[in-house]
Amino acid sequence: MTFQNEIVLFASVFVFFGGLVAFFRLFGKSGIFAWTVICTIAANIEVLILVHAFGMDTTLGNVLFASSFLATDMMSELYGKKEANRCVKLGIAANITFIIISQSWFLYVPAPDDTMAEPIRTVFANTPRVMISSLAAYVVCELYDVWAYHHIWDWTISRYGSRRAFLWLRNNGSTLVSQLINVLVFNLLAFAGVFPRSVIIQILVFGYGIFIITSLMDTPFLYWARNIADKHPELLTA
């Protein structure tokens, strides 16, 4: 018995979250925007793959999509609510644009010697439903995440008088609920009638379990990003 899927999933948390922080360190606010576009599109392709890990069936994309929550929390913490909402709007625009582009490929008639059109069609034939479902979930849960982050932040400031304290609370308090919304909305819209009910239940349970873990694990990366901003204030003005 091997644990390749479990090892890769666990390692991907550090790769994706660390990659986002690296993008911020290299490119500032633009790096967070760029990562949002990358992860929202790539996660919607990954999610088409069903794997077996930790004794259950689950789709991929959970960890990568979780990094989008870290991106909006980083934007909220470092640049404010307005920029965090811009980050969400950019993710929405990226999703819509990719749906249009990927579906336009099927308007072409493949050449007789073509070998790639059919595999690509197989991969992206379900893209509209998956990406529209993802878009609906993304809009609801990410806007909630930004709202909840700042609502908790305002509450801790009024109660304790510190803007920097309780970063872990606003991070996890907003993300845990928004990810539950995401799991329910996306998977029910995307996979009802595609997978058996038992598989969908496993996907829901495992997906939210992954999100609970990633929510707790992304907190050190958010502290790391804020520490980088403290040492390199030029990133906040770029």
Side-chain angles (χ1 to χ4, degrees):
M1 182 177 180
T2 63
F3 296 94
Q4 180 174 336
N5 287 344
E6 290 82 354
I7 293 170
V8 174
L9 280 171
F10 185 74
S12 67
V13 174
F14 296 93
V15 173
F16 296 151
F17 291 176
L20 171 56
V21 175
F23 266 53
F24 166 65
R25 176 63 186 90
L26 292 171
F27 308 110
K29 184 193 303 182
S30 297
I32 302 176
F33 283 140
W35 186 271
T36 298
V37 172
I38 293 169
C39 77
T40 53
I41 292 176
N44 287 322
I45 298 173
E46 263 197 343
V47 79
L48 299 172
I49 302 173
L50 187 69
V51 299
H52 189 81
F54 301 101
M56 304 178 74
D57 290 333
T58 185
T59 56
L60 293 181
N62 291 322
V63 177
L64 186 54
F65 192 70
S67 68
S68 72
F69 290 91
L70 177 58
T72 53
D73 285 357
M74 282 175 59
M75 197 67 82
S76 288
E77 185 69 24
L78 302 175
Y79 298 99
K81 186 175 183 178
K82 181 179 178 181
E83 292 303 297
N85 280 322
R86 284 187 65 199
C87 198
V88 174
K89 292 175 183 177
L90 181 61
I92 295 170
N95 273 272
I96 294 173
T97 303
F98 186 72
I99 291 173
I100 295 171
I101 291 173
S102 63
Q103 295 311 296
S104 73
W105 301 334
F106 304 137
L107 299 176
Y108 294 95
V109 177
D113 295 328
D114 173 80
T115 60
M116 294 305 299
E118 193 58 35
I120 289 176
R121 183 180 294 274
T122 300
V123 171
F124 290 103
N126 199 38
T127 295
R129 177 176 178 177
V130 170
M131 294 203 72
I132 290 171
S133 301
S134 177
L135 181 61
Y138 184 82
V139 170
V140 175
C141 69
E142 289 284 9
L143 289 177
Y144 171 83
D145 185 64
V146 174
W147 173 84
Y149 191 97
H150 288 273
H151 181 74
I152 295 171
W153 201 354
D154 291 341
W155 179 78
T156 56
I157 291 173
S158 63
R159 187 171 180 86
Y160 299 101
S162 173
R163 289 189 57 81
R164 292 180 65 87
F166 297 99
L167 173 58
W168 60 271
L169 178 61
R170 53 185 176 268
N171 171 228
N172 291 294
S174 60
T175 303
L176 285 171
V177 177
S178 57
Q179 288 178 335
L180 176 60
I181 295 171
N182 170 59
V183 167
L184 290 173
V185 174
F186 171 73
N187 287 292
L188 293 178
L189 289 178
F191 299 126
V194 176
F195 296 133
R197 182 179 301 176
S198 59
V199 173
I200 292 178
I201 293 173
Q202 288 186 54
I203 291 172
L204 291 173
V205 172
F206 186 86
Y208 189 56
I210 287 289
F211 278 141
I212 291 174
I213 295 171
T214 56
S215 177
L216 298 175
M217 291 182 69
D218 80 1
T219 304
F221 291 90
L222 186 54
Y223 276 97
W224 183 19
R226 192 172 72 174
N227 185 58
I228 290 174
D230 289 341
K231 294 181 178 179
H232 302 277
E234 69 278 5
L235 293 173
L236 302 181
T237 57

